[in-house]
């Protein structure tokens, strides 16, 4: 896991090492173990290394394959051992035991098609000297970031936005993304970022940059395929292949030359990760006990430490609980907003930040996490609505009663949830009401086509899940995961997002994912043999909820900060006195603080 950066000057100005170092210094947290640079006239590549596999200097980057290719790489190719064995049969020899060397050799043999061979997470750039081009790629689900800026003079790329800002001063906000974030509460639906003219390579996409004519070609190389043979399995058969593939995913993600830990909440996803990881490790000789980390809350209503204790004790693993105080939140408040570079959804992001900080303090450099399980196993309430869409009236009513019970909400709330997620005009009406805070000039800019498309996808759960994975929800969660983990030099590995496992889960019959009102039913069934029903059939779904009223109570300072924002003054109809919706209040406040930290402006 690392940080990559690079520049191409179109006017053939020679790149200076000092310029590259300015970029890589801005993300030294991503790679504290080594740095390196490659310059060839108007092309420059920079790298910061976090050593995970083969910690020797032989795996430092930029990595050269003779005089043919030079690469900077951020991520991990988990199946590198299998690929290395295959490449050795084709005559390749290796000087290191790293996945980095396997990646560049794979490109040399398979060309751009090599990315289809990889099981992992990545963002890399390869300079192909023979073809005089850069080949750039981002992993299937966008776990690792790739930002870039291009104009008539230069092409700049990096793992974060701040390095690009070191070279190209950009202070104008992307109004479209800002409004989507504020009103729709989504910001990752396209290649655009909050910074005008800074783009991101989308998940499952590659980018080729021709160094002769400076043209760019972007290609989508992957999509999730529905597998009918999986859909035809019964519950027992589906459960067996589910656990078998998940165990494979865990085994691959335990490949490391440094200490590994796991995140542990009171929920199902992280409990299953811990259970299977513990099972796999126990099969090894002289294995070290797995360490699980939980972030407790000073608000008992959102505290998960008691439930996570039950899981840790049942599995016999080490358990570390950290409970951040309000003072710790305030001490790092602006620091987190600055590190995240773009406004984010809520202060629960800070809970994950404290988890990563604790992992770093324990000497853990690789952390397993349960991200992605809700998206692939119908874990959110909204998926229950999609499941009901094709049921008859009686079945819908029956399902609503079960949802009410398992999600601890009233029947009226359950019915409202069904109408909101299944009817476009209901969702549009609610968003328009939220958008009433805006001047007409800005409320008219909100494009409801995206929302209409999402609502339509509720008719087909497979398409809905793909939308959530590639565009709507998961990309935001992965962005926050990357920023938080890399801020503390932690490589976060996500076994639920092994692409083979994802394809299987999306193809499993939906009646095994939602059954008798229980979400993620197939996961609960597999957990039964590892954990008590208190965990396996818990109806609580907290998910890193922060103690908002303790950390961020209502205050005049919050309202003043919002009202003093030049951006909010421009887009809002009037000044605010009281904001009922605390989630909206956070987004407004986040914009105001971000505006100050990055000196952002909005075009009037």
């Amino acid at each position: 896991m690392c940080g990559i950066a690079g520049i191409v000057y179109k006017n053939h100005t020679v790149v200076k090492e000092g310029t590259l170092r300015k970029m890589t210094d801005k993300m030294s947290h991503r790679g504290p173990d080594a740095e390196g640079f490659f310059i060839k006239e108007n092309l420059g590549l920079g790298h910061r290394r976090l050593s995970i596999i083969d910690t020797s200097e032989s795996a430092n980057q930029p990595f050269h394959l003779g005089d043919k290719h030079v690469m900077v790489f951020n991520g991990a190719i988990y199946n590198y051992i299998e690929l290395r064995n295959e490449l050795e049969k084709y005559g390749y020899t290796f000087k290191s035991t790293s996945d980095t060397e396997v990646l560049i050799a794979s490109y040399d043999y398979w060309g751009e098609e090599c990315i289809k061979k990889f099981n992992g997470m990545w963002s890399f750039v390869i300079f192909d000297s023979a073809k005089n081009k850069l080949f750039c790629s981002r992993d299937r689900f966008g776990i690792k970031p790739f930002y870039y800026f291009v104009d008539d003079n230069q092409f700049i790329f990096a793992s974060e936005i701040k390095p690009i800002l070191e070279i190209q001063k950009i202070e104008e906000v992307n109004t479209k993304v800002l409004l989507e974030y504020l009103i729709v509460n989504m910001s990752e639906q396209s290649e655009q970022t909050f910074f005008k003219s800074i783009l991101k390579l989308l998940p499952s996409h590659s980018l080729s940059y021709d160094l002769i004519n400076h043209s760019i070609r972007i290609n989508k190389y992957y999509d999730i395929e529905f597998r009918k043979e999986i859909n035809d399995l019964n519950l027992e058969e589906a459960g067996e292949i589910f656990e078998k593939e998940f165990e494979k995913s865990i085994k691959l993600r335990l490949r490391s030359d440094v200490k590994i830990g796991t995140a542990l909440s009171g929920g199902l996803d992280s409990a299953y990760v811990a259970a299977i990881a513990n099972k796999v490790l126990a099969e090894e000789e002289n294995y070290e006990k797995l360490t699980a980390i939980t972030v407790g809350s000073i608000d008992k209503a959102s505290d998960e430490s008691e439930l996570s204790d039950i899981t840790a004790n049942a599995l016999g693993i080490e358990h570390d609980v950290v409970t951040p105080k309000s003072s710790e939140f305030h001490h790092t408040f602006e620091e987190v907003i600055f590190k995240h570079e773009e406004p984010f959804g809520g202060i629960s992001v800070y809970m994950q930040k404290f988890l990563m900080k604790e992992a770093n303090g324990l000497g853990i450099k690789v952390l397993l996490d349960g991200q992605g399980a809700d998206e692939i196993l119908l874990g959110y309430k909204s998926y229950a609505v999609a499941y009901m869409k094709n049921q008859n009236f009686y079945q819908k009513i029956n399902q609503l009663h079960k949802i009410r019970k398992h999600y601890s909400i009233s029947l009226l709330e359950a019915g409202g949830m069904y109408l909101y997620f299944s009817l476009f005009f209901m969702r549009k009406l609610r968003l328009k009401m939220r958008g009433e805070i805006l001047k007409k000039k800005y409320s008219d800019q909100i494009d409801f086509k995206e929302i209409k498309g999402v609502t339509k996808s509720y008719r087909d759960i497979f398409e809905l899940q793909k939308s959530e994975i590639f565009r709507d929800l998961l990309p935001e969660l992965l962005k926050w995961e990357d920023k938080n983990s890399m801020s503390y030099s932690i490589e976060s590995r996500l076994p639920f997002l092994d692409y083979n496992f994802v394809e299987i889960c999306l193809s499993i019959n939906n009646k095994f994912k939602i059954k008798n009102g229980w979400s993620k039913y197939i996961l609960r069934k597999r957990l039964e043999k590892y954990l008590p029903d208190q965990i396996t059939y818990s109806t609580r779904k907290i998910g890193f909820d922060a103690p908002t009223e303790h950390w961020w109570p209502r205050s005049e300072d919050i309202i003043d900060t919002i009202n003093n924002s030049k951006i909010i003054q421009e887009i809002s109809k009037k000044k605010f006195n009281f904001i009922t919706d605390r989630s909206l209040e956070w987004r407004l406040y986040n914009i105001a603080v971000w505006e100050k930290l990055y000196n952002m402006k909005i075009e009037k």
Side-chain angles (χ1 to χ4, degrees), residues 264 290-294 305 308-310 312-313 317-321:
L264 184 63
L290 186 68
T291 298
I293 305 172
T294 299
S305 58
S308 60
D309 252 336
I310 294 171
N313 290 332
I317 60 178
E318 300 291 336
H319 192 209
D320 179 86
V321 180

Side-chain angles (χ1 to χ4, degrees), residues 272-335:
Y272 194 56
V273 171
I276 301 302
N278 188 56
K279 173 188 173 185
V280 171
L281 288 171
E283 294 170 355
E284 300 178 0
E285 292 184 15
N286 303 316
Y287 80 98
E288 184 179 351
K289 269 193 175 183
L290 186 68
T291 298
I293 305 172
T294 299
V295 182
S297 174
I298 55 178
D299 182 354
K300 293 302 176 186
S302 60
D303 182 44
E304 297 189 86
S305 58
E306 288 186 13
L307 288 173
S308 60
D309 252 336
I310 294 171
T311 296
N313 290 332
L315 297 176
I317 60 178
E318 300 291 336
H319 192 209
D320 179 86
V321 180
V322 56
T323 306
K325 300 175 182 176
S326 297
S327 59
E328 294 177 88
F329 167 74
H330 291 292
H331 180 68
T332 60
F333 177 73
E334 287 195 357
E335 171 198 331

Side-chain angles (χ1 to χ4, degrees), residues 404-421:
R404 178 191 63 79
K405 176 183 176 183
H406 294 148
Y407 286 103
S408 301
I409 58 177
S410 69
L411 187 60
L412 184 63
E413 288 173 318
M417 185 178 74
Y418 176 79
L419 293 174
Y420 175 74
F421 285 112

Side-chain angles (χ1 to χ4, degrees), residues 377-433:
L377 294 173
L378 307 183
Y380 297 121
K381 300 178 204 176
S382 56
Y383 288 132
V385 171
Y387 185 67
M388 285 189 283
K389 287 288 286 185
N390 294 318
Q391 295 182 324
N392 62 40
F393 179 77
Y394 172 77
Q395 290 171 324
K396 282 184 172 70
I397 296 299
N398 188 38
Q399 187 74 14
L400 281 171
H401 276 285
K402 290 173 180 176
I403 290 172
R404 178 191 63 79
K405 176 183 176 183
H406 294 148
Y407 286 103
S408 301
I409 58 177
S410 69
L411 187 60
L412 184 63
E413 288 173 318
M417 185 178 74
Y418 176 79
L419 293 174
Y420 175 74
F421 285 112
S422 63
L423 299 175
F424 169 62
F425 82 90
M426 290 289 291
R427 186 179 286 201
K428 184 178 179 180
L429 178 63
R430 183 172 172 182
L431 293 177
K432 275 188 169 291
M433 289 173 63

Side-chain angles (χ1 to χ4, degrees), residues 64-209:
H64 296 250
L65 186 66
D67 58 359
K68 297 171 70 176
H69 312 306
V70 184
M71 181 179 71
V72 286
F73 161 49
N74 167 31
I77 306 301
Y78 303 124
N79 62 333
Y80 72 101
I81 294 175
E82 292 77 8
L83 289 173
R84 185 178 64 202
N85 292 338
E86 186 174 355
L87 288 164
E88 284 175 339
K89 294 176 181 177
Y90 302 136
Y92 285 83
T93 58
F94 295 88
K95 63 181 182 181
S96 73
T97 57
S98 70
D99 56 338
T100 301
E101 188 173 10
V102 171
L103 196 164
I104 199 169
S106 296
Y107 173 78
D108 186 66
Y109 186 75
W110 287 294
E112 294 186 6
E113 292 294 302
C114 68
I115 48 182
K116 297 179 181 179
K117 303 279 288 186
F118 300 150
N119 187 332
M121 54 182 179
W122 66 83
S123 176
F124 66 77
V125 175
I126 296 175
F127 166 51
D128 186 325
S129 60
K131 296 180 179 178
N132 209 7
K133 73 170 186 178
L134 298 178
F135 177 61
C136 318
S137 178
R138 192 175 180 201
D139 64 75
R140 292 174 180 85
F141 304 123
I143 300 171
K144 292 291 98 186
F146 186 96
Y147 297 100
Y148 68 98
F149 170 87
V150 60
D151 64 8
D152 292 339
N153 302 312
Q154 59 199 340
F155 171 65
I156 312 169
F157 67 85
S159 296
E160 295 184 2
I161 291 173
K162 289 188 291 293
I164 297 175
L165 299 178
E166 279 296 300
I167 309 303
Q168 181 67 37
K169 184 179 180 181
I170 297 174
E171 295 179 341
E172 186 177 338
V173 67
N174 185 323
T175 306
K176 180 180 184 295
V177 175
L178 183 87
L179 294 174
E180 286 177 351
Y181 163 74
L182 184 59
I183 304 304
V184 186
N185 199 14
M186 289 182 178
S187 61
E188 290 290 305
Q189 292 180 293
S190 72
E191 73 281 358
Q192 298 179 53
T193 70
F194 280 84
F195 293 82
K196 192 169 184 178
S197 302
I198 294 182
L199 304 173
K200 55 181 174 285
L201 188 61
L202 292 174
S204 296
H205 282 71
S206 59
L207 182 154
S208 291
Y209 187 95

